[in-house]
Amino acid sequence: MLIKIFSTSLVSRTLLKNNLDIVKVPVREKQIQIPKKRHPSWLPKQNRVLHNEYITTENNEFVKEFIQSKYDSPLNIKPIEPITNWKKGLRRTGLIAKKIGIYPIWLQNGKKVNSTLLQIIDNQVIKYIAPEDFFPVKSKRTIVKNRLGSLVIGAESSDPQLFRKEYCKLFENSGVMPKRIIMRFMISPEAALQPGTPLYASHFKPGEIIDIRAKTIDRGFQGVMKRWGFKGMPASHGVTKTHRRPGNIGSGGKMARVMPGTKLPGHMGNRWRTIRGYRILRVNTKYNVIWVMGHNIPGETNTFCYLYDTVLPTRKSKTPPYFPTYLPDLNKKPIPEDLYADDVHPFKAPTIQFSEES
């Protein structure tokens, strides 16, 4: 009884109270989240260790002829499923493109704009995963309303001798040559395509708005002036060896620690970024090249990027696109070699027009 009375009294509370000042440390910014590209569980390792097998030139040529005859056989080409009409809200597949350079383009009003050339190299459908079998990794807060399927697309055919046996088995059902780049696109079940279906640059029309996902250039370890655009210290008047330093980061006092999200020197680049709202100016159907307005697409030259239909609600195309993709066999009218947007000046058109005096 005496212990209970002592524990409930005010004197005991003051004696047993911890004399600690609890300081709530504020967070300066949300911590920078590095977007990751998660590979599926069924994707094995790609490259194998190459050894000198001492094959003669005659046998090497025979192996190349056999590989071409195996993958270029007309027996591997399967019939294409019937096409469904496009409706608002349906999602179709994207393309895998290679960044090949920057080139200027002139508009009808005489304005010069820069454009990035993206080439579609050997894009083919490898595998289709139905919505019942496709379970992407999502956060706990996301609520899935409409289940989407997955379409595996491959680009840049390569020699099967360069890959592992397990990796080459992924392409047996599709009947296509092993691809060096593989990407999954989330699509609606109505936009599913059979394995082996080729995809062309005419999948997108000139004037459409697309989103581009690519990996930025790897800059390595950089300071705050190049990484975050800091101004730096003055160049004179008593400044000693702190010209390119970040300066005070404001972590003194009771906090006594570096706040999460503080802009400091570190690794720059080599991150996946998605840029939205880029307009297509020109499409070349012969070489499968797309001219995209802008020169700030992430990545170096000869690196791959992924093209999607834009998700911006106000920038979506009002005209129906080729759904599920452009198929030259089913299209009655052949498409010309060069396709331009409405406000782009064609190269073959005359720049100066003369008219006779009345």
Side-chain angles (χ1 to χ4, degrees), residues 81-100:
E81 295 180 358
I83 301 176
T84 57
N85 296 326
W86 179 80
K87 298 179 182 178
K88 188 177 181 180
L90 295 179
R91 185 184 296 186
R92 60 175 187 162
T93 183
L95 297 177
I96 303 175
K98 188 176 185 179
K99 182 179 178 181
I100 60 177

Side-chain angles (χ1 to χ4, degrees), residues 97-102 116-119 121 214 217 294-305:
K98 188 176 185 179
K99 182 179 178 181
I100 60 177
I102 298 172
T116 304
L117 278 72
L118 305 175
Q119 188 176 16
I121 302 176
I217 299 175
H295 61 277
N296 56 344
I297 293 176
E300 300 178 0
T301 306
N302 296 327
T303 56
F304 285 88
C305 58

Side-chain angles (χ1 to χ4, degrees), residues 118-294:
L118 305 175
Q119 188 176 16
I120 313 300
I121 302 176
D122 298 336
N123 280 20
Q124 285 181 310
V125 179
I126 297 171
K127 184 180 179 181
Y128 170 67
I129 304 174
E132 297 80 16
D133 303 329
F134 180 59
F135 302 99
V137 179
K138 294 184 178 181
S139 60
K140 297 180 181 179
R141 297 181 180 180
T142 56
I143 300 174
V144 180
K145 295 182 179 179
N146 299 324
R147 292 295 302 273
L148 299 175
S150 174
L151 201 66
V152 182
I153 306 297
E156 193 172 357
S157 303
S158 300
D159 190 358
Q161 303 177 72
L162 303 177
F163 305 116
R164 292 173 176 264
K165 181 175 64 175
E166 295 80 9
Y167 183 78
C168 293
K169 289 183 179 179
L170 299 175
F171 306 90
E172 288 182 354
N173 296 330
S174 59
V176 300
M177 188 173 289
K179 306 290 183 179
R180 196 169 68 87
I181 306 297
I182 290 180
M183 178 61 184
R184 296 187 301 176
F185 294 93
M186 297 178 64
I187 62 169
S188 303
E190 294 82 0
L193 294 170
Q194 280 191 335
T197 304
L199 302 175
Y200 305 97
S202 50
H203 178 79
F204 297 107
K205 296 180 181 179
E208 290 183 348
I209 307 299
I210 61 174
D211 299 339
I212 303 173
R213 177 179 171 85
K215 184 178 283 188
T216 56
I217 299 175
D218 191 1
R219 304 288 183 180
F221 190 92
Q222 297 294 335
V224 292
M225 292 185 67
K226 186 171 183 179
R227 191 185 183 196
W228 300 110
F230 281 16
K231 183 181 178 181
M233 300 290 182
S236 61
H237 296 287
V239 178
T240 305
K241 296 183 180 180
T242 56
H243 304 287
R244 301 182 66 87
R245 296 295 183 93
N248 185 15
I249 59 176
S251 297
K254 296 182 179 179
M255 292 183 292
R257 69 187 185 97
V258 179
M259 303 302 299
T262 305
K263 295 180 179 180
L264 294 175
H267 190 276
M268 180 181 177
N270 199 24
R271 297 287 184 266
W272 288 98
R273 293 289 181 264
T274 302
I275 54 177
R276 306 188 187 278
Y278 277 69
R279 187 165 176 264
I280 296 176
L281 300 178
R282 179 186 174 187
V283 176
N284 183 272
T285 59
K286 182 179 180 180
Y287 299 101
N288 287 325
V289 179
I290 298 175
W291 279 256
V292 179
M293 187 173 180

